[in-house]
Coordinates of all heavy atoms in Angstrom, one line a residue:
M1 N -18.7 5.6 -24.9 CA -18.0 4.9 -26.0 C -17.0 3.9 -25.4 O -16.3 4.2 -24.5 CB -17.2 5.9 -26.9 CG -16.6 5.2 -28.1 SD -16.0 6.4 -29.3 CE -14.5 7.0 -28.5
I2 N -17.0 2.7 -26.0 CA -16.0 1.7 -25.5 C -14.6 2.2 -25.5 O -14.2 2.7 -26.5 CB -16.1 0.4 -26.3 CG1 -17.5 -0.2 -26.2 CG2 -15.1 -0.6 -25.9 CD1 -17.8 -1.3 -27.2
G3 N -13.9 2.0 -24.4 CA -12.5 2.4 -24.4 C -12.2 3.9 -24.1 O -11.1 4.3 -23.9
A4 N -13.3 4.7 -23.9 CA -13.0 6.1 -23.6 C -12.7 6.5 -22.2 O -12.4 7.6 -21.9 CB -14.2 6.9 -24.1
E5 N -12.9 5.5 -21.3 CA -12.6 5.8 -19.9 C -11.2 5.4 -19.5 O -10.9 4.2 -19.6 CB -13.7 5.0 -19.1 CG -13.6 5.3 -17.6 CD -14.7 4.5 -16.8 OE1 -15.7 4.2 -17.4 OE2 -14.4 4.2 -15.7
P6 N -10.5 6.3 -19.0 CA -9.1 6.0 -18.6 C -9.1 5.2 -17.3 O -9.8 5.5 -16.3 CB -8.4 7.3 -18.3 CG -9.6 8.3 -18.0 CD -10.8 7.7 -18.8
R7 N -8.3 4.1 -17.2 CA -8.2 3.3 -16.0 C -6.9 3.6 -15.3 O -5.9 2.9 -15.4 CB -8.2 1.8 -16.4 CG -9.4 1.4 -17.3 CD -10.6 1.3 -16.5 NE -11.7 0.8 -17.3 CZ -12.9 0.4 -16.8 NH1 -13.1 0.3 -15.5 NH2 -13.9 0.0 -17.6
T8 N -6.9 4.8 -14.6 CA -5.7 5.3 -14.0 C -5.7 5.4 -12.5 O -4.9 5.9 -11.9 CB -5.4 6.7 -14.6 OG1 -6.6 7.5 -14.4 CG2 -5.1 6.7 -16.1
H9 N -6.8 4.8 -11.9 CA -7.0 4.9 -10.5 C -5.8 4.3 -9.7 O -5.6 4.6 -8.5 CB -8.3 4.3 -10.1 CG -8.4 2.8 -10.5 ND1 -8.8 2.5 -11.8 CD2 -8.2 1.7 -9.9 CE1 -8.8 1.2 -11.9 NE2 -8.4 0.7 -10.8
W10 N -5.1 3.3 -10.3 CA -4.1 2.6 -9.6 C -2.8 3.5 -9.5 O -1.9 3.1 -8.7 CB -3.8 1.3 -10.3 CG -3.4 1.4 -11.8 CD1 -4.3 1.5 -12.8 CD2 -2.1 1.6 -12.3 NE1 -3.6 1.7 -14.0 CE2 -2.3 1.7 -13.7 CE3 -0.8 1.6 -11.8 CZ2 -1.2 1.9 -14.6 CZ3 0.3 1.8 -12.6 CH2 0.1 1.9 -14.0
L11 N -2.7 4.5 -10.3 CA -1.5 5.3 -10.3 C -1.3 6.1 -8.9 O -2.3 6.4 -8.3 CB -1.5 6.4 -11.4 CG -1.3 5.8 -12.8 CD1 -1.7 6.8 -13.8 CD2 0.1 5.4 -13.0
P12 N -0.1 6.3 -8.5 CA 0.1 7.1 -7.2 C -0.4 8.5 -7.4 O -0.4 9.0 -8.5 CB 1.6 7.0 -7.0 CG 2.2 6.7 -8.3 CD 1.2 5.9 -9.1
D13 N -0.7 9.2 -6.3 CA -1.2 10.6 -6.4 C -0.2 11.5 -7.0 O -0.5 12.6 -7.5 CB -1.6 11.1 -5.0 CG -2.8 10.4 -4.5 OD1 -3.6 9.8 -5.3 OD2 -3.0 10.4 -3.2
M14 N 1.1 11.1 -6.9 CA 2.2 11.9 -7.5 C 2.0 12.1 -9.0 O 2.5 13.1 -9.6 CB 3.6 11.3 -7.3 CG 4.1 11.4 -5.9 SD 4.7 13.1 -5.6 CE 6.2 13.1 -6.6
V15 N 1.3 11.2 -9.7 CA 1.0 11.3 -11.1 C -0.4 12.0 -11.2 O -1.4 11.4 -11.0 CB 1.0 9.9 -11.8 CG1 0.6 10.1 -13.3 CG2 2.3 9.2 -11.6
R16 N -0.3 13.3 -11.5 CA -1.6 14.1 -11.5 C -2.5 13.7 -12.7 O -2.0 13.5 -13.8 CB -1.2 15.6 -11.5 CG -0.7 16.1 -10.3 CD -0.7 17.6 -10.3 NE -0.3 18.1 -9.0 CZ -0.5 19.3 -8.6 NH1 -1.2 20.1 -9.3 NH2 -0.1 19.7 -7.4
R17 N -3.8 13.7 -12.4 CA -4.7 13.5 -13.5 C -5.8 14.6 -13.4 O -6.0 15.2 -12.4 CB -5.4 12.1 -13.2 CG -4.5 10.9 -13.6 CD -4.8 9.8 -12.7 NE -3.9 9.9 -11.5 CZ -4.0 9.1 -10.4 NH1 -4.9 8.2 -10.4 NH2 -3.2 9.3 -9.4
D18 N -6.5 14.7 -14.6 CA -7.6 15.6 -14.6 C -8.9 15.0 -13.9 O -8.8 13.8 -13.4 CB -7.9 16.1 -16.0 CG -8.5 15.1 -16.9 OD1 -8.9 14.0 -16.5 OD2 -8.4 15.3 -18.2
R19 N -10.0 15.7 -13.9 CA -11.1 15.2 -13.2 C -11.7 13.9 -13.8 O -12.4 13.2 -13.1 CB -12.2 16.3 -13.2 CG -11.9 17.5 -12.3 CD -12.9 18.6 -12.4 NE -14.2 18.2 -12.0 CZ -15.3 19.0 -12.1 NH1 -15.1 20.2 -12.6 NH2 -16.4 18.5 -11.6
S20 N -11.4 13.7 -15.0 CA -11.9 12.4 -15.7 C -10.9 11.3 -15.6 O -11.1 10.2 -16.0 CB -12.1 12.7 -17.2 OG -13.1 13.7 -17.3
G21 N -9.7 11.6 -15.0 CA -8.7 10.5 -14.9 C -7.6 10.5 -15.9 O -6.7 9.6 -15.8
F22 N -7.6 11.4 -16.9 CA -6.6 11.5 -17.9 C -5.3 12.1 -17.2 O -5.4 13.0 -16.5 CB -7.0 12.3 -19.1 CG -8.1 11.6 -19.9 CD1 -9.5 11.9 -19.6 CD2 -7.9 10.6 -20.8 CE1 -10.5 11.3 -20.3 CE2 -8.9 10.0 -21.5 CZ -10.2 10.3 -21.2
V23 N -4.2 11.5 -17.6 CA -2.9 12.0 -17.0 C -2.4 13.3 -17.6 O -2.4 13.5 -18.8 CB -1.8 10.9 -17.3 CG1 -0.5 11.3 -16.7 CG2 -2.2 9.5 -16.6
L24 N -2.1 14.2 -16.7 CA -1.6 15.5 -17.1 C -0.1 15.4 -17.4 O 0.6 14.8 -16.6 CB -1.8 16.6 -16.0 CG -3.3 16.8 -15.7 CD1 -3.5 17.5 -14.3 CD2 -3.9 17.7 -16.8
T25 N 0.3 16.1 -18.4 CA 1.7 16.1 -18.8 C 2.2 17.5 -19.2 O 1.3 18.3 -19.6 CB 2.0 15.1 -20.0 OG1 1.2 15.6 -21.1 CG2 1.7 13.7 -19.6
G26 N 3.5 17.7 -19.2 CA 4.1 18.9 -19.8 C 3.4 20.2 -19.4 O 3.2 20.4 -18.2
A27 N 3.1 21.0 -20.3 CA 2.6 22.4 -20.1 C 1.2 22.3 -19.3 O 0.9 23.3 -18.6 CB 2.4 23.1 -21.4
D28 N 0.5 21.2 -19.4 CA -0.8 21.1 -18.7 C -0.6 21.0 -17.2 O -1.5 21.1 -16.4 CB -1.6 19.9 -19.2 CG -2.1 20.1 -20.6 OD1 -2.4 21.2 -21.0 OD2 -2.1 19.1 -21.4
L29 N 0.7 20.8 -16.8 CA 1.0 20.7 -15.3 C 1.3 22.1 -14.8 O 1.4 22.3 -13.5 CB 2.2 19.8 -15.1 CG 1.9 18.3 -15.3 CD1 3.2 17.6 -15.4 CD2 1.1 17.7 -14.2
L30 N 1.5 23.1 -15.6 CA 2.0 24.4 -15.2 C 0.9 25.3 -14.7 O -0.2 25.3 -15.3 CB 2.8 25.0 -16.3 CG 3.9 24.2 -16.9 CD1 4.7 25.1 -17.9 CD2 4.9 23.7 -15.8
G31 N 1.1 26.0 -13.7 CA 0.2 27.0 -13.2 C 1.0 28.3 -13.1 O 2.0 28.3 -12.4
D32 N 0.7 29.4 -13.8 CA 1.5 30.6 -13.9 C 2.9 30.3 -14.3 O 3.9 30.9 -13.8 CB 1.5 31.3 -12.5 CG 0.2 31.9 -12.2 OD1 -0.6 32.3 -13.2 OD2 -0.1 32.1 -11.0
G33 N 3.0 29.3 -15.2 CA 4.3 29.0 -15.8 C 5.2 28.1 -14.9 O 6.3 27.8 -15.2
R34 N 4.6 27.8 -13.7 CA 5.4 27.0 -12.8 C 4.9 25.6 -12.6 O 3.6 25.4 -12.7 CB 5.4 27.7 -11.4 CG 6.3 28.9 -11.4 CD 6.6 29.3 -9.9 NE 5.5 29.8 -9.2 CZ 5.3 31.1 -9.1 NH1 6.1 32.0 -9.7 NH2 4.2 31.6 -8.5
P35 N 5.8 24.6 -12.4 CA 5.3 23.2 -12.1 C 4.6 23.1 -10.8 O 4.7 24.0 -9.9 CB 6.6 22.4 -12.2 CG 7.6 23.3 -11.8 CD 7.2 24.7 -12.3
P36 N 4.0 21.9 -10.5 CA 3.4 21.7 -9.2 C 4.4 21.8 -8.1 O 5.6 21.6 -8.3 CB 2.8 20.3 -9.3 CG 2.8 20.0 -10.7 CD 3.8 20.8 -11.4
A37 N 3.9 22.1 -6.9 CA 4.8 22.3 -5.7 C 5.6 21.0 -5.5 O 6.7 21.0 -4.9 CB 4.0 22.7 -4.5
T38 N 5.0 19.8 -5.8 CA 5.7 18.5 -5.6 C 6.8 18.2 -6.6 O 7.5 17.2 -6.5 CB 4.6 17.4 -5.6 OG1 3.9 17.5 -6.8 CG2 3.7 17.5 -4.4
W39 N 6.8 19.0 -7.7 CA 7.8 18.8 -8.7 C 9.2 19.0 -8.2 O 9.6 20.1 -7.8 CB 7.6 19.7 -10.0 CG 8.5 19.5 -11.1 CD1 9.5 20.3 -11.5 CD2 8.5 18.4 -12.0 NE1 10.2 19.8 -12.5 CE2 9.6 18.6 -12.9 CE3 7.8 17.2 -12.2 CZ2 9.9 17.8 -14.0 CZ3 8.1 16.4 -13.2 CH2 9.1 16.6 -14.1
P40 N 10.1 18.0 -8.2 CA 11.4 18.1 -7.4 C 12.6 18.7 -8.2 O 13.6 18.9 -7.7 CB 11.7 16.7 -7.0 CG 11.1 15.9 -8.1 CD 9.9 16.6 -8.6
L41 N 12.4 18.9 -9.5 CA 13.5 19.3 -10.4 C 13.5 20.8 -10.7 O 12.5 21.4 -10.7 CB 13.5 18.5 -11.7 CG 13.5 16.9 -11.5 CD1 13.4 16.2 -12.8 CD2 14.6 16.4 -10.7
T42 N 14.7 21.3 -11.2 CA 14.7 22.7 -11.6 C 14.2 22.9 -13.0 O 13.7 24.0 -13.3 CB 16.2 23.2 -11.5 OG1 17.0 22.4 -12.3 CG2 16.7 23.3 -10.1
R43 N 14.3 21.9 -13.8 CA 13.7 22.0 -15.2 C 12.2 21.7 -15.1 O 11.7 21.2 -14.2 CB 14.4 21.0 -16.1 CG 14.1 19.5 -15.8 CD 14.4 18.6 -17.0 NE 14.2 17.2 -16.6 CZ 13.1 16.6 -16.6 NH1 12.0 17.2 -16.9 NH2 13.0 15.3 -16.3
L44 N 11.5 22.2 -16.2 CA 10.1 21.9 -16.3 C 9.8 20.5 -16.8 O 10.7 19.9 -17.4 CB 9.4 22.9 -17.2 CG 9.5 24.4 -16.8 CD1 8.9 25.3 -17.9 CD2 8.8 24.6 -15.5
P45 N 8.6 20.0 -16.6 CA 8.3 18.6 -17.1 C 8.4 18.7 -18.7 O 7.9 19.7 -19.3 CB 6.8 18.4 -16.7 CG 6.6 19.3 -15.6 CD 7.5 20.5 -15.8
M46 N 8.9 17.6 -19.3 CA 8.9 17.5 -20.7 C 7.5 17.3 -21.2 O 6.5 17.0 -20.5 CB 9.8 16.4 -21.2 CG 11.3 16.6 -20.9 SD 12.3 15.2 -21.5 CE 12.7 14.5 -19.9
F47 N 7.3 17.5 -22.5 CA 6.0 17.5 -23.2 C 5.1 16.3 -22.8 O 3.9 16.5 -22.5 CB 6.2 17.5 -24.7 CG 5.0 17.2 -25.6 CD1 3.8 17.8 -25.4 CD2 5.1 16.3 -26.6 CE1 2.7 17.5 -26.1 CE2 4.0 16.0 -27.4 CZ 2.8 16.6 -27.2
L48 N 5.7 15.1 -22.7 CA 4.9 13.9 -22.4 C 5.2 13.4 -21.0 O 4.7 12.3 -20.7 CB 5.2 12.8 -23.5 CG 4.8 13.2 -24.9 CD1 5.4 12.2 -25.9 CD2 3.3 13.4 -25.0
E49 N 5.9 14.2 -20.2 CA 6.3 13.7 -18.9 C 5.2 14.1 -17.9 O 4.6 15.2 -17.9 CB 7.6 14.4 -18.5 CG 8.2 13.8 -17.2 CD 9.6 14.3 -17.0 OE1 9.9 15.5 -17.4 OE2 10.4 13.6 -16.3
S50 N 4.9 13.2 -17.0 CA 3.9 13.4 -16.0 C 4.5 14.3 -14.8 O 5.6 14.7 -14.9 CB 3.3 12.1 -15.4 OG 4.3 11.5 -14.6
S51 N 3.7 14.5 -13.8 CA 4.1 15.2 -12.6 C 5.1 14.4 -11.8 O 5.7 14.9 -10.8 CB 3.0 15.6 -11.7 OG 2.1 14.5 -11.5
L52 N 5.4 13.2 -12.1 CA 6.4 12.3 -11.5 C 7.5 12.2 -12.5 O 7.4 11.5 -13.5 CB 5.8 11.0 -11.1 CG 6.7 10.0 -10.3 CD1 7.2 10.6 -9.0 CD2 6.0 8.7 -10.0
P53 N 8.7 12.8 -12.2 CA 9.8 12.8 -13.2 C 10.1 11.4 -13.7 O 10.2 10.4 -12.8 CB 11.0 13.4 -12.4 CG 10.3 14.3 -11.4 CD 9.1 13.6 -11.0
G54 N 10.3 11.2 -15.0 CA 10.6 9.9 -15.5 C 9.4 9.0 -15.8 O 9.6 7.9 -16.4
V55 N 8.2 9.5 -15.5 CA 7.0 8.7 -15.8 C 6.3 9.5 -16.9 O 6.0 10.7 -16.8 CB 6.1 8.6 -14.6 CG1 4.7 8.0 -15.0 CG2 6.8 7.7 -13.5
F56 N 6.1 8.9 -18.1 CA 5.6 9.5 -19.3 C 4.2 9.0 -19.6 O 3.9 7.8 -19.3 CB 6.5 9.3 -20.4 CG 7.9 10.0 -20.2 CD1 8.9 9.4 -19.4 CD2 8.2 11.3 -20.7 CE1 10.1 10.0 -19.2 CE2 9.4 11.9 -20.5 CZ 10.3 11.2 -19.8
A57 N 3.4 9.8 -20.2 CA 2.0 9.3 -20.7 C 1.8 9.7 -22.1 O 2.1 10.8 -22.5 CB 1.0 9.9 -19.8
V58 N 1.3 8.7 -22.9 CA 1.1 8.9 -24.3 C -0.2 8.3 -24.7 O -0.8 7.5 -24.0 CB 2.2 8.3 -25.2 CG1 3.6 8.9 -24.9 CG2 2.2 6.8 -25.1
G59 N -0.8 8.8 -25.8 CA -2.0 8.2 -26.4 C -3.2 8.6 -25.6 O -3.3 9.6 -25.0
D60 N -4.2 7.8 -25.7 CA -5.5 8.1 -25.2 C -5.5 8.5 -23.7 O -6.3 9.3 -23.2 CB -6.5 6.9 -25.4 CG -7.1 6.9 -26.8 OD1 -6.5 7.5 -27.7 OD2 -8.1 6.2 -27.0
V61 N -4.6 7.9 -22.9 CA -4.6 8.1 -21.5 C -4.1 9.5 -21.1 O -4.4 10.0 -20.0 CB -3.8 7.0 -20.8 CG1 -2.3 7.3 -20.9 CG2 -4.2 6.8 -19.3
R62 N -3.5 10.2 -22.0 CA -2.9 11.5 -21.8 C -4.0 12.6 -21.9 O -4.7 12.6 -23.0 CB -1.7 11.7 -22.7 CG -0.9 13.0 -22.3 CD 0.3 13.2 -23.2 NE -0.1 13.6 -24.5 CZ -0.4 14.8 -24.9 NH1 -0.4 15.8 -24.0 NH2 -0.8 15.1 -26.1
H63 N -4.1 13.4 -21.0 CA -5.0 14.6 -21.0 C -4.7 15.4 -22.3 O -3.5 15.7 -22.5 CB -4.8 15.4 -19.8 CG -5.5 16.8 -19.9 ND1 -6.8 17.0 -19.5 CD2 -5.1 18.0 -20.3 CE1 -7.2 18.2 -19.7 NE2 -6.1 18.9 -20.2
G64 N -5.7 15.7 -23.1 CA -5.5 16.6 -24.2 C -5.0 15.9 -25.5 O -4.8 16.6 -26.5
S65 N -4.8 14.6 -25.4 CA -4.3 13.9 -26.6 C -5.5 13.8 -27.7 O -6.6 14.0 -27.3 CB -3.8 12.5 -26.3 OG -4.9 11.7 -25.8
V66 N -5.1 13.5 -28.9 CA -6.1 13.6 -30.0 C -7.0 12.4 -30.1 O -8.1 12.5 -30.7 CB -5.3 13.8 -31.3 CG1 -6.2 13.8 -32.5 CG2 -4.5 15.1 -31.3
K67 N -6.7 11.3 -29.4 CA -7.5 10.1 -29.3 C -7.7 9.5 -30.7 O -8.8 9.2 -31.2 CB -8.9 10.4 -28.7 CG -8.9 11.3 -27.5 CD -8.2 10.7 -26.3 CE -8.4 11.6 -25.1 NZ -7.2 11.8 -24.3
R68 N -6.5 9.3 -31.4 CA -6.5 8.6 -32.7 C -5.3 7.7 -32.7 O -4.3 8.0 -32.0 CB -6.4 9.6 -33.9 CG -7.7 10.5 -34.1 CD -8.8 9.6 -34.6 NE -10.0 10.4 -34.9 CZ -10.9 10.7 -34.0 NH1 -10.8 10.3 -32.7 NH2 -12.0 11.4 -34.3
V69 N -5.3 6.7 -33.5 CA -4.3 5.7 -33.5 C -2.9 6.3 -33.9 O -1.9 6.1 -33.3 CB -4.6 4.5 -34.5 CG1 -3.4 3.7 -34.7 CG2 -5.8 3.7 -34.0
A70 N -3.0 7.1 -35.0 CA -1.7 7.7 -35.5 C -1.0 8.6 -34.5 O 0.2 8.6 -34.3 CB -2.0 8.4 -36.8
S71 N -1.9 9.4 -33.8 CA -1.3 10.3 -32.8 C -0.7 9.5 -31.6 O 0.3 9.9 -31.0 CB -2.3 11.4 -32.4 OG -3.4 10.8 -31.8
A72 N -1.4 8.4 -31.2 CA -0.9 7.6 -30.1 C 0.5 7.0 -30.5 O 1.4 7.0 -29.6 CB -1.9 6.5 -29.8
V73 N 0.6 6.5 -31.7 CA 1.8 5.9 -32.1 C 2.9 7.0 -32.2 O 4.1 6.8 -31.7 CB 1.7 5.3 -33.5 CG1 3.0 4.8 -34.1 CG2 0.7 4.1 -33.4
G74 N 2.6 8.2 -32.7 CA 3.5 9.3 -32.8 C 4.0 9.7 -31.4 O 5.2 9.9 -31.2
E75 N 3.1 9.9 -30.5 CA 3.5 10.3 -29.1 C 4.4 9.2 -28.5 O 5.3 9.5 -27.8 CB 2.2 10.5 -28.3 CG 1.5 11.7 -28.6 CD 0.3 12.0 -27.6 OE1 0.2 11.3 -26.6 OE2 -0.4 13.0 -27.9
G76 N 4.1 8.0 -28.8 CA 5.0 6.9 -28.3 C 6.4 7.0 -28.8 O 7.3 6.9 -28.0
S77 N 6.6 7.4 -30.0 CA 7.9 7.5 -30.5 C 8.6 8.8 -29.9 O 9.8 8.7 -29.7 CB 7.9 7.6 -32.1 OG 7.3 8.8 -32.5
I78 N 7.8 9.8 -29.7 CA 8.4 11.0 -29.1 C 8.8 10.7 -27.6 O 9.9 11.1 -27.1 CB 7.4 12.2 -29.1 CG1 7.1 12.6 -30.5 CG2 8.0 13.4 -28.3 CD1 6.0 13.6 -30.7
A79 N 8.0 9.9 -27.0 CA 8.2 9.6 -25.6 C 9.6 8.8 -25.4 O 10.3 9.1 -24.5 CB 7.1 8.8 -25.0
I80 N 9.9 8.0 -26.4 CA 11.1 7.2 -26.3 C 12.3 8.2 -26.3 O 13.3 8.1 -25.5 CB 11.3 6.2 -27.5 CG1 10.2 5.2 -27.4 CG2 12.7 5.6 -27.5 CD1 10.2 4.3 -26.1
S81 N 12.2 9.2 -27.2 CA 13.3 10.2 -27.2 C 13.4 11.0 -25.9 O 14.5 11.2 -25.4 CB 13.0 11.2 -28.3 OG 13.8 12.3 -28.3
Q82 N 12.2 11.3 -25.3 CA 12.2 12.0 -24.0 C 12.7 11.1 -22.9 O 13.4 11.6 -21.9 CB 10.8 12.5 -23.7 CG 10.4 13.6 -24.7 CD 9.2 14.3 -24.4 OE1 8.5 14.0 -23.4 NE2 8.8 15.3 -25.2
V83 N 12.5 9.8 -23.0 CA 13.0 8.9 -22.0 C 14.5 8.9 -22.0 O 15.2 8.9 -21.0 CB 12.5 7.4 -22.2 CG1 13.2 6.4 -21.4 CG2 11.0 7.4 -21.8
H84 N 15.1 8.9 -23.3 CA 16.5 8.9 -23.4 C 17.1 10.2 -22.8 O 18.1 10.2 -22.1 CB 16.9 8.9 -24.9 CG 16.7 7.5 -25.5 ND1 16.6 7.3 -26.9 CD2 16.4 6.3 -24.9 CE1 16.4 6.0 -27.1 NE2 16.3 5.4 -25.9
D85 N 16.4 11.3 -23.1 CA 16.8 12.6 -22.5 C 16.8 12.5 -20.9 O 17.7 13.0 -20.3 CB 15.9 13.8 -22.9 CG 16.1 14.2 -24.3 OD1 17.1 13.8 -24.9 OD2 15.2 14.9 -24.9
Y86 N 15.8 11.9 -20.4 CA 15.6 11.7 -18.9 C 16.8 10.9 -18.4 O 17.4 11.3 -17.4 CB 14.3 11.1 -18.6 CG 14.2 10.8 -17.1 CD1 13.8 11.8 -16.2 CD2 14.4 9.6 -16.6 CE1 13.7 11.6 -14.9 CE2 14.3 9.3 -15.3 CZ 14.0 10.3 -14.4 OH 13.9 10.1 -13.1
L87 N 17.1 9.8 -19.1 CA 18.2 8.9 -18.6 C 19.5 9.5 -18.7 O 20.5 9.2 -18.0 CB 18.1 7.6 -19.4 CG 16.9 6.7 -19.1 CD1 16.8 5.5 -20.1 CD2 16.8 6.3 -17.7
R88 N 19.7 10.5 -19.7 CA 20.9 11.3 -19.8 C 21.0 12.3 -18.7 O 22.0 13.1 -18.7 CB 21.0 11.9 -21.2 CG 21.6 11.0 -22.3 CD 22.0 11.7 -23.5 NE 20.9 12.4 -24.1 CZ 20.2 11.9 -25.1 NH1 20.5 10.7 -25.6 NH2 19.1 12.5 -25.6
G89 N 20.0 12.5 -17.9 CA 20.0 13.5 -16.9 C 19.4 14.8 -17.2 O 19.5 15.8 -16.5
G90 N 18.7 14.8 -18.4 CA 18.0 16.0 -18.8 C 16.7 16.2 -18.1 O 16.2 15.5 -17.3
Ligands
FAD1 C1 -15.0 2.3 -30.9 C2 -13.7 3.0 -31.3 C3 -13.4 3.3 -32.6 C4 -12.3 4.0 -32.9 N1 -12.0 4.3 -34.2 C5 -10.9 5.0 -34.6 C6 -10.6 5.2 -35.9 O1 -11.3 4.9 -36.8 N2 -9.4 5.8 -36.2 C7 -8.5 6.2 -35.2 O2 -7.4 6.7 -35.5 N3 -8.8 6.0 -33.9 C8 -9.9 5.4 -33.6 N4 -10.2 5.1 -32.3 C9 -9.3 5.6 -31.2 C10 -8.1 4.6 -31.1 O3 -8.5 3.3 -30.9 C11 -7.2 5.1 -29.9 O4 -6.9 6.5 -30.1 C12 -6.0 4.3 -29.8 O5 -6.2 2.9 -29.7 C13 -5.2 4.8 -28.6 O6 -4.1 4.0 -28.4 P1 -3.4 3.8 -27.0 O7 -2.2 2.9 -27.2 O8 -3.2 5.2 -26.4 O9 -4.5 3.1 -26.1 P2 -5.2 1.7 -26.2 O10 -5.3 1.3 -27.7 O11 -6.5 1.8 -25.4 O12 -4.2 0.7 -25.5 C14 -4.0 0.7 -24.1 C15 -3.7 -0.7 -23.7 O13 -3.3 -0.8 -22.4 C16 -3.9 -1.8 -21.8 N5 -4.0 -1.5 -20.3 C17 -4.8 -0.7 -19.7 N6 -4.5 -0.7 -18.4 C18 -3.5 -1.5 -18.2 C19 -2.7 -1.9 -17.1 N7 -3.0 -1.5 -15.8 N8 -1.7 -2.8 -17.2 C20 -1.4 -3.2 -18.5 N9 -2.1 -2.9 -19.6 C21 -3.1 -2.1 -19.4 C22 -5.3 -2.0 -22.4 O14 -5.8 -3.2 -22.2 C23 -4.9 -1.7 -23.9 O15 -4.5 -2.8 -24.6 C24 -11.4 4.4 -31.9 C25 -11.7 4.1 -30.6 C26 -12.8 3.4 -30.3 C27 -13.1 3.1 -28.8

């Protein structure tokens, strides 16, 4: 299907992706409740945060997203809030 292939090859390895190239975020990064070994912070990744702190993924490119316009827009608005949390040191 046109548009169904994520173009994420240019991202650094620090931004983890699934086997199809979709960006892993939040709980999808956890193994046994723990973040990846490369995760440098004491807190866990936020819902839309990738394995690189401060880098967020929303919409179709995100692993596990619903792949619909309304959900992509909604995730975008949530991401802004999470960016603010990140900038506040959260
Ligand atoms: C044929 C088809 C029919 C669909 N029908 C429906 C429907 O009826 N209802 C519905 O809700 N959803 C539908 N969808 C799904 C919907 O289009 C997507 O879920 C939605 O567009 C996702 O939005 P997005 O912003 O995550 O990604 P996109 O809309 O794909 O936007 C990503 C943008 O990033 C740009 N981009 C990519 N790489 C880079 C880069 N390196 N640098 C800068 N820009 C870049 C792309 O050019 C693109 O403009 C359909 C999808 C397809 C393919």
Side-chain angles (χ1 to χ4, degrees):
M1 187 170 76
I2 296 168
E5 186 180 331
R7 305 284 182 167
T8 54
H9 55 279
W10 55 274
L11 288 166
D13 291 341
M14 283 285 287
V15 179
R16 289 195 174 198
R17 283 146 276 172
D18 67 16
R19 290 174 61 183
S20 301
F22 293 96
V23 177
L24 295 164
T25 60
D28 291 326
L29 289 163
L30 306 183
D32 288 334
R34 285 200 288 267
T38 53
W39 180 255
L41 306 179
T42 54
R43 67 163 175 81
L44 296 177
M46 291 181 253
F47 166 49
L48 298 171
E49 192 171 28
S50 75
S51 52
L52 185 58
V55 173
F56 297 80
V58 301
D60 279 18
V61 81
R62 189 178 72 79
H63 169 88
S65 67
V66 177
K67 318 299 187 222
R68 290 291 181 275
V69 170
S71 57
V73 172
E75 287 187 6
S77 69
I78 296 169
I80 296 301
S81 166
Q82 296 190 354
V83 167
H84 289 164
D85 287 346
Y86 175 79
L87 293 174
R88 275 196 297 267

